[in-house]
Amino acid sequence: MSLLPRVTAAFAEHFGAEPDVVVRAPGRVNLIGAHTDYNDGFVLPMAIERAVWIALRPRSDGRVRVLALDLGEWAEFDLTDLRRERGWAEYLKGVAWAWQEAGYALRGWEGVLAGDVPRGAGLSSSAALELATARAFQVVSDFAWEPATMARLGQRAENAWVGVRCGIMDQMIAAAGRRGHALLIDCRSLETQPVPLPEGVVVVILDTATRRGLVDSAYNERRHQCEAAARHFGVPALRDVSETDLAARGHELDEVIRRRARHVITENARTLAAVTAMRAGDALTLGRLMDASHASLRDDFEVSSPALDTMVTLARAHPACLGARMTGAGFGGCAVALVKAEQADAFAAHVAAAYRAATGLEPNITITQAADGATIVLQR
Ligand code: GLA
């Protein structure tokens, strides 16, 4: 949904004028390629219609002053005196810090921000906020928007300022997403290829309404296990290990490490196979690969949850569904399903009722189109 009217009206109310600039950056779902990005592998996310929006105007004093409409909270900071605190403004400060550290001369601005990407749901609200902030700085400071560079800096903001050790996928898709397409990202070279969604199917986001607190520690543990496996094979990352290598030498690994490695290695292969299927318009094969991805995440990588498994099973039981899997880091949050377009509304209603009956939880099920990455929506 466009939040343009909301942020422009709020800007007018608080600043007594029309905004000079409006920017937005999207959340994402990942169709396939889970936990492969920090293994230098392949991912296939698409930007979604839910996004973070900022209406703003430049300031001449090097300060940033922003109202988060959804929280009713102001934040203000000076670009020459960034201090680490807590809360949502750290994402903005982290961007200011990372870009300035990389040598960008930033100007200040003031405005309002609002978003409809739910937080902690696995739809990458933090990358949306980072890349919307980056777009705001880009317009007022007038530097080139090179998506891979912007994504790397956004990841640096998140890793080093916010303190979350994420991979590159979320910032890359928020920076470089393409309407109507998923994006194959090679997380080593950061080369991207837009891949059109097959005709006659839509992507449905299935929010389990569960959130898990321990995601960060489990995520870091998986990263270490993957690094240990790569070290064992004597390569920089699991990207460099083939299914044949694993079959030949997998038995040398500790049992848990072997399963973690097997997930990543087979997931990379599934992701490339998914691209081939999509290019051939073969939604059935794409769906099957998504199913296999979920099984691998559940059994080998062990990052699913009972709620996610229930949602995926219920989705998969509906005849209009071609494939379903958890998306994001896991342990809660959202699943994603590939569904026949003409039955998508019936699918959503059916799965919502079944999930409610099975768990007592109220899910949020939405059909989404593939959206553009971070854009300048309006500039006067
Ligand atoms: C989170 C991280 C990403 C990626 C996914 C799992 O979303 O931010 O970098 O690792 O988990 O695929």
Side-chain angles (χ1 to χ4, degrees):
M1 187 182 75
S2 171
L3 300 183
L4 181 61
R6 174 144 185 252
V7 290
T8 19
F11 186 95
E13 182 191 336
H14 292 281
F15 295 97
E18 295 291 306
D20 291 8
V21 178
V22 177
V23 296
R24 60 161 271 293
R28 61 105 189 87
V29 287
N30 188 17
L31 295 183
I32 195 161
H35 291 270
T36 47
D37 62 348
Y38 53 81
N39 291 294
D40 279 4
F42 300 98
V43 294
L44 190 58
M46 66 178 226
I48 59 175
E49 290 162 309
R50 290 172 178 265
V52 170
W53 294 69
I54 309 178
L56 64 132
R57 69 181 176 198
R59 279 173 73 112
S60 52
D61 62 357
R63 293 184 74 77
V64 174
R65 198 168 158 258
V66 193
L67 170 63
L69 287 177
D70 306 313
L71 305 169
E73 277 173 31
W74 286 91
E76 183 166 354
F77 56 89
D78 192 315
L79 289 170
T80 61
D81 183 24
L82 295 169
R83 288 158 198 237
R84 217 181 249 100
E85 287 154 312
R86 279 176 165 276
W88 58 272
E90 297 315 293
Y91 293 97
L92 288 81
K93 284 191 231 166
V95 166
W97 170 79
W99 264 252
Q100 293 190 121
E101 188 202 40
Y104 289 82
L106 299 186
R107 299 221 173 96
W109 49 272
E110 60 192 3
V112 299
L113 81 81
D116 58 5
V117 191
R119 273 170 291 159
L123 298 179
S124 199
S125 60
S126 51
L129 180 51
E130 287 151 6
L131 272 298
T133 304
R135 264 295 189 196
F137 278 120
Q138 186 235 337
V139 182
V140 300
S141 316
D142 198 21
F143 53 80
W145 185 266
E146 206 284 297
T149 307
M150 301 296 102
R152 278 258 188 258
L153 291 173
Q155 183 195 21
R156 173 123 180 90
E158 178 120 11
N159 290 170
W161 188 276
V162 180
V164 174
R165 216 178 150 225
C166 62
I168 191 66
M169 168 172 71
D170 304 343
Q171 287 79 12
M172 239 349 248
I173 186 66
R178 181 92 75 85
R179 181 193 288 256
H181 294 74
L183 208 61
L184 172 67
I185 304 171
D186 177 333
C187 296
R188 174 168 278 166
S189 66
L190 293 195
E191 277 165 12
T192 60
Q193 289 177 37
V195 188
L197 289 166
E199 296 275 310
V201 291
V202 289
V203 169
V204 181
I205 305 171
L206 308 135
D207 189 339
T208 61
T210 60
R211 308 285 183 256
R212 264 281 289 273
L214 290 172
V215 182
D216 283 359
S217 57
Y219 186 86
N220 290 338
E221 183 193 52
R222 297 302 183 284
R223 286 189 72 139
H224 289 134
Q225 291 168 331
C226 291
E227 285 157 13
R231 261 198 311 279
H232 185 86
F233 283 98
V235 293
L238 281 180
R239 150 75 172 269
D240 304 302
V241 181
S242 68
E243 290 179 89
T244 320
D245 297 335
L246 184 70
R249 293 187 50 200
H251 64 274
E252 297 165 9
L253 294 168
D254 161 89
E255 198 266 330
V256 172
I257 306 282
R258 184 174 57 77
R259 284 191 288 116
R260 303 295 189 252
R262 184 167 63 189
H263 165 72
V264 173
I265 293 163
T266 57
E267 185 77 354
N268 275 328
R270 279 188 292 271
T271 304
L272 296 176
V275 171
T276 307
M278 283 173 78
R279 293 226 164 98
D282 182 356
L284 274 179
T285 300
L286 174 61
R288 268 190 228 114
L289 290 161
M290 291 170 70
D291 292 340
S293 170
H294 185 77
S296 177
L297 288 159
R298 182 191 59 211
D299 302 335
D300 275 354
F301 217 61
E302 295 180 282
V303 290
S304 190
S305 71
L308 281 167
D309 291 341
T310 300
M311 186 66 99
V312 165
T313 305
L314 293 172
R316 213 50 202 86
H318 193 278
C321 183
L322 304 178
R325 57 178 290 273
M326 52 155 274
T327 193
F331 302 104
C334 291
V336 59
L338 192 69
V339 178
K340 290 180 188 155
E342 76 273 11
Q343 293 170 58
D345 289 325
F347 166 85
H350 177 87
V351 176
Y355 183 80
R356 212 177 286 126
T359 63
L361 295 167
E362 189 56 45
N364 187 352
I365 300 189
T366 47
I367 299 163
T368 188
Q369 306 297 319
D372 277 324
T375 47
I376 303 164
V377 179
L378 174 159
Q379 186 172 14
R380 276 183 237 280

